[in-house]
Amino acid sequence: MAVKVAAAFIFMLFFLSTACQAKLSSAFYHKSCPKAESAIRTAIRTAIARERRMAASLIRLHFHDCFVQGCDASILLDETSSIKSEKTAGANRNSARGYEVIDKAKSEVEKICPGVVSCADIIAVAARDASAYVGGPSWAVKLGRRDSTTASPALAITELPAFFDDLGKLISRFQKKGLTARDMVALSGSHTLGQAQCFTFRDRIYNASNIDAGFASTRKRRCPRTGGQANLAPLDLVTPNSFDNNYFKNLMRKKGLLQSDQVLFNGGSTDSIVSEYSRNPAKFSSDFASAMIKMGDIRPLTGSAGQIRRICSAVN
């Protein structure tokens, strides 16, 4: 009898371990919700057609989610008496956006497959579809993540890259997430679509020495020495609405808007990668897709961990 109990206990532990270590798969919803990805794609395309900038915001939302607690949709949780929201953390407050687009995609998926598709997976698919819609690469998104029931603004403050980080700090932040320096440079290339607020680049355009004078002068028109904190400027002046490799060409001309951009090409270890991507857009696209897949593997909740949130902004 004792042997049988022990055997049953061991089997139960094995089952639970297997459930918690379930692997992500691009075919995860093929049977349970075969139309999920097409429903998400429609919602994402509609949102970007309405506002082109949303493509960059959705890619960034996936990034900001995965770097805090892993890719678990914790960034979507609103503040409650029991949850401190990541939305209010410095790197996200008045900056991270696209929440309503994910909510819309979730509501459409819930209509066809209630309680099946996680918000974390929707964020991952949205980032892929946003890239493809504006001319960037597409890739097979691995699915099967579950949603967190907690959030951590403290980790959002300490683990997300900052606009003032130097190269060593950036490389360290990415390495802690299992991403290489090449992954970091490739992922940074999505900045070709983004915009930044004046306060994040003011010091650079007025005080930096490694900046093109004409570029700095142009940026000063929208970012005075005082005031205008939230005034926006595109990170890529040349083709701000298209996913291409101009970001890297800009860096080589000392036209990186943020310090954390320009340090990628400033006499350091990543100069050669920036130079390679500036010459070879196909290599950049391929590496970006690979890095996004790797990023999507950061500490996902699978199996019996977490939950499938019916509403992305709240736990069930």
Side-chain angles (χ1 to χ4, degrees), residues 57-118:
S57 298
L58 292 171
I59 294 171
R60 185 168 180 255
L61 195 64
H62 184 35
F63 174 79
H64 278 227
D65 181 41
C66 290
F67 261 57
V68 181
Q69 296 190 169
C71 307
D72 61 358
S74 61
I75 194 172
L76 303 180
L77 288 171
D78 284 341
E79 191 95 2
T80 68
S81 58
S82 59
I83 293 175
K84 296 297 183 183
S85 177
E86 292 169 20
K87 294 179 180 181
T88 61
N92 295 325
R93 187 175 61 250
N94 301 322
S95 176
R97 57 197 298 273
Y99 304 116
E100 74 285 355
V101 178
I102 301 300
D103 288 342
K104 175 62 176 176
K106 174 65 170 175
S107 68
E108 293 303 313
V109 173
E110 284 291 301
K111 291 177 184 177
I112 55 177
C113 306
V116 173
V117 181
S118 69

Side-chain angles (χ1 to χ4, degrees), residues 139-157:
W139 55 91
V141 179
K142 292 193 286 183
L143 302 167
R145 300 169 191 82
R146 288 169 65 84
D147 299 323
S148 174
T149 58
T150 65
S152 178
L155 288 178
I157 292 170

Side-chain angles (χ1 to χ4, degrees), residues 17 38 41 65 75 77 82 96 98 116 183 194 212 225 249 268 275 282:
S17 174
S38 62
R41 185 179 303 113
D65 181 41
I75 194 172
L77 288 171
S82 59
V116 173
D183 294 329
D212 177 85
R225 283 188 181 274
K249 296 178 181 178
S275 180

Side-chain angles (χ1 to χ4, degrees), residues 21-233:
Q21 295 176 11
K23 292 185 177 180
L24 304 180
S25 167
S26 59
F28 189 82
Y29 296 115
H30 280 191
K31 291 183 178 179
S32 61
C33 194
K35 295 182 179 180
E37 289 192 61
S38 62
I40 297 168
R41 185 179 303 113
T42 298
I44 300 312
R45 288 178 174 178
T46 300
I48 299 173
R50 188 181 306 117
E51 183 194 5
R52 192 79 169 181
R53 179 189 169 205
M54 188 54 68
S57 298
L58 292 171
I59 294 171
R60 185 168 180 255
L61 195 64
H62 184 35
F63 174 79
H64 278 227
D65 181 41
C66 290
F67 261 57
V68 181
Q69 296 190 169
C71 307
D72 61 358
S74 61
I75 194 172
L76 303 180
L77 288 171
D78 284 341
E79 191 95 2
T80 68
S81 58
S82 59
I83 293 175
K84 296 297 183 183
S85 177
E86 292 169 20
K87 294 179 180 181
T88 61
N92 295 325
R93 187 175 61 250
N94 301 322
S95 176
R97 57 197 298 273
Y99 304 116
E100 74 285 355
V101 178
I102 301 300
D103 288 342
K104 175 62 176 176
K106 174 65 170 175
S107 68
E108 293 303 313
V109 173
E110 284 291 301
K111 291 177 184 177
I112 55 177
C113 306
V116 173
V117 181
S118 69
C119 299
D121 278 345
I122 291 174
I123 297 175
V125 173
R128 186 271 311 276
D129 291 346
S131 169
Y133 188 80
V134 293
S138 185
W139 55 91
V141 179
K142 292 193 286 183
L143 302 167
R145 300 169 191 82
R146 288 169 65 84
D147 299 323
S148 174
T149 58
T150 65
S152 178
L155 288 178
I157 292 170
T158 58
E159 301 200 0
L160 285 169
F163 62 86
F164 49 78
D165 280 347
D166 61 25
L167 182 60
K169 183 67 172 178
L170 289 171
I171 290 174
S172 175
R173 288 188 189 276
F174 280 76
Q175 284 180 338
K176 288 177 180 177
K177 304 299 178 183
L179 299 169
T180 66
R182 177 172 285 271
D183 294 329
M184 176 189 71
V185 176
L187 291 170
S188 297
S190 65
H191 286 188
T192 194
L193 297 167
Q195 297 189 45
Q197 297 181 65
C198 171
F199 79 92
T200 64
F201 60 85
R202 176 183 283 120
D203 184 62
R204 175 161 164 72
I205 62 175
Y206 284 100
N207 299 317
S209 58
N210 61 341
I211 189 168
D212 177 85
F215 174 76
S217 178
T218 299
R219 295 306 199 197
K220 289 174 183 176
R221 297 171 194 166
R222 288 282 297 158
C223 186
R225 283 188 181 274
T226 59
Q229 293 287 82
N231 288 356
L232 292 171

